[in-house]
């Protein structure tokens, strides 16, 4: 599965403002930013992202998934620590 396919799937399913996906084989890293995460715990945020990807996880297309999910306000504060300058 291409990273742009994962990005499109998540953006459409969760109405995200920003999605960054990196892949190394079938190991994926996702950074998701959207209002849908407002008021949710870290675990609930991750569960929300897992939902649209469960088919690809179940069939082995995605073997490992690292998720960082933020509201737009959280992302403004955290992005400088996560993305290289």
């Amino acid at each position: 599965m291409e990273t742009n396919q994962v990005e499109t799937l998540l953006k459409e399913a969760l109405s995200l403002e920003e999605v960054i996906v990196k892949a190394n084989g079938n190991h994926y890293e996702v950074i998701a930013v959207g209002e849908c995460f407002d008021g949710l715990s870290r675990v609930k945020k991750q569960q929300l992202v897992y939902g649209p990807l469960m088919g690809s996880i179940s069939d082995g297309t995605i073997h490992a998934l690292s998720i960082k999910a933020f509201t737009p306000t959280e992302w403004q504060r955290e992005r400088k620590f996560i993305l290289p300058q």
Side-chain angles (χ1 to χ4, degrees):
M1 180 173 242
E2 297 293 323
T3 57
N4 63 339
Q5 291 173 296
V6 175
E7 288 174 7
T8 301
L9 181 64
L10 291 174
K11 270 189 175 178
E12 290 176 358
L14 302 175
S15 299
L16 298 174
E17 295 177 20
E18 188 172 354
V19 181
I20 300 168
V21 179
K22 296 178 185 173
N24 184 2
N26 59 359
H27 294 223
Y28 291 78
E29 286 182 46
V30 172
I31 297 173
V33 181
E35 290 293 343
C36 59
F37 301 123
D38 190 36
L40 298 180
S41 69
R42 184 171 49 188
V43 171
K44 292 291 184 191
K45 290 176 182 179
Q46 291 178 350
Q47 289 172 340
L48 204 56
V49 174
Y50 271 114
L53 300 175
M54 281 311 294
S56 297
I57 294 168
S58 296
D59 71 12
T61 302
I62 296 176
H63 173 72
L65 182 61
S66 168
I67 300 169
K68 294 180 182 161
F70 304 97
T71 65
T73 303
E74 291 169 337
W75 183 234
Q76 286 298 323
R77 186 178 60 237
E78 299 294 325
R79 73 182 301 143
K80 62 182 167 258
F81 300 112
I82 295 171
L83 297 179
Q85 299 296 323

